[in-house]
Amino acid sequence: KAGVTQTPRYLIKTRGQQVTLSCSPISGHRSVSWYQQTPGQGLQFLFEYFSETQRNKGNFPGRFSGRQFSNSRSEMNVSTLELGDSALYLCASSFSVLAGGSPGANVLTFGAGSRLTVL
Amino acid sequence: QKEVEQNSGPLSVPEGAIASLNCTYSDRGSQSFFWYRQYSGKSPELIMFIYSNGDKEDGRFTAQLNKASQYVSLLIRDSQPSDSATYLCALTGGGNKLTFGTGTQLKVEL
């Protein structure tokens, strides 16, 4: 079956612009999470959506936002881009979200990522 | 103190040897632990997850968890050059918000 699909794969923007990234999860997966990966900070959690509801949010400014549609596809938006927003943005999907000791259901499968360069 | 600590490496091992990768964490409420492998320029891929104290084996890989000492490790037996990658330790206290370490770079030398 198809994996997690992210578009676009590469993009270049200038400071002050905004960008929208798209993620299509694995068929049947209802949870979508977004992560930012940079050489200095590593992988950092942005937010998580399940059934169109944001369940969790990381420590990022309000310029970072996201949403999930009824078909589980998700988008994230970054407004007023800064140089420091240059990063690999990874989307991950999972079947569900369970608390505690049943981790099999919340194993994340990552997409190939969208590499954003801000000039 | 970072929430998840990993030695950045590089950890160099000869082909056929056992590679031992370690991870310590600070949140005692952490419940599930994951090891991801990331090749240069690629996205992370899951190797194993573990949530009970002890060992969990899957082929050449063994994950070990000790919640009392707050560490989790990954052993790779019969290391191959194709195992050369960055290994990311991650954990969650529940849900899909994972906290990642910065990764250990493994180099398997011929």
Side-chain angles (χ1 to χ4, degrees):
Chain A
K1 60 183 177 182
V4 180
T5 303
Q6 291 188 245
T7 57
R9 289 292 313 281
Y10 304 92
L11 64 167
I12 299 174
K13 294 286 186 178
T14 56
R15 281 182 299 174
Q17 287 187 310
Q18 73 166 16
V19 65
T20 299
L21 309 177
S22 179
C23 171
S24 294
I26 291 172
S27 178
H29 283 193
R30 297 167 61 191
S31 172
V32 173
S33 306
W34 289 89
Y35 290 80
Q36 181 197 64
Q37 187 172 31
T38 59
Q41 299 297 319
L43 268 160
Q44 292 188 289
F45 173 80
L46 280 158
F47 25 65
E48 170 196 355
Y49 289 89
F50 182 79
S51 294
E52 302 179 66
T53 301
Q54 186 180 88
R55 285 181 47 89
N56 223 329
K57 191 176 190 304
N59 295 324
F60 280 82
R63 300 185 297 108
F64 292 80
S65 63
R67 58 178 176 170
Q68 186 180 34
F69 303 96
S70 58
N71 62 357
S72 295
R73 190 177 68 87
S74 176
E75 289 181 346
M76 67 163 284
N77 185 77
V78 187
S79 62
T80 320
L81 284 166
E82 301 176 0
L83 295 178
D85 297 333
S86 295
L88 179 66
Y89 289 88
L90 290 160
C91 167
S93 76
S94 66
F95 178 70
S96 68
V97 179
L98 295 176
S102 298
N106 63 352
V107 166
L108 302 186
T109 301
F110 284 88
S114 293
R115 184 164 295 281
L116 171 64
T117 301
V118 182
L119 302 176
Chain B
Q1 181 189 6
K2 290 183 179 178
E3 294 181 67
V4 182
E5 297 266 11
Q6 292 184 260
N7 188 319
S8 61
L11 172 66
S12 294
V13 299
E15 183 178 7
I18 295 175
S20 178
L21 304 162
N22 300 309
C23 171
T24 58
Y25 61 94
S26 58
D27 184 358
R28 286 192 174 274
S30 301
Q31 297 180 341
S32 304
F33 304 84
F34 305 82
W35 282 100
Y36 282 84
R37 175 176 63 197
Q38 187 172 26
Y39 292 111
S40 180
K42 302 293 185 180
S43 60
E45 55 180 334
L46 181 73
I47 298 175
M48 295 184 70
F49 65 85
I50 185 168
Y51 56 93
S52 298
N53 275 326
D55 295 359
K56 179 180 179 182
E57 186 175 317
D58 184 0
R60 297 187 296 113
F61 300 94
T62 299
Q64 300 174 318
L65 174 61
N66 184 322
K67 290 187 177 181
S69 300
Q70 294 175 248
Y71 82 78
V72 57
S73 63
L74 180 70
L75 300 178
I76 306 175
R77 291 181 298 281
D78 188 24
S79 295
Q80 301 297 310
S82 59
D83 294 326
S84 297
T86 296
Y87 289 79
L88 300 164
C89 172
L91 54 83
T92 178
N96 290 351
K97 177 184 177 181
L98 296 190
T99 300
F100 283 85
T102 53
T104 298
Q105 184 184 5
L106 173 67
K107 292 184 176 180
V108 180
E109 299 167 333
L110 297 171

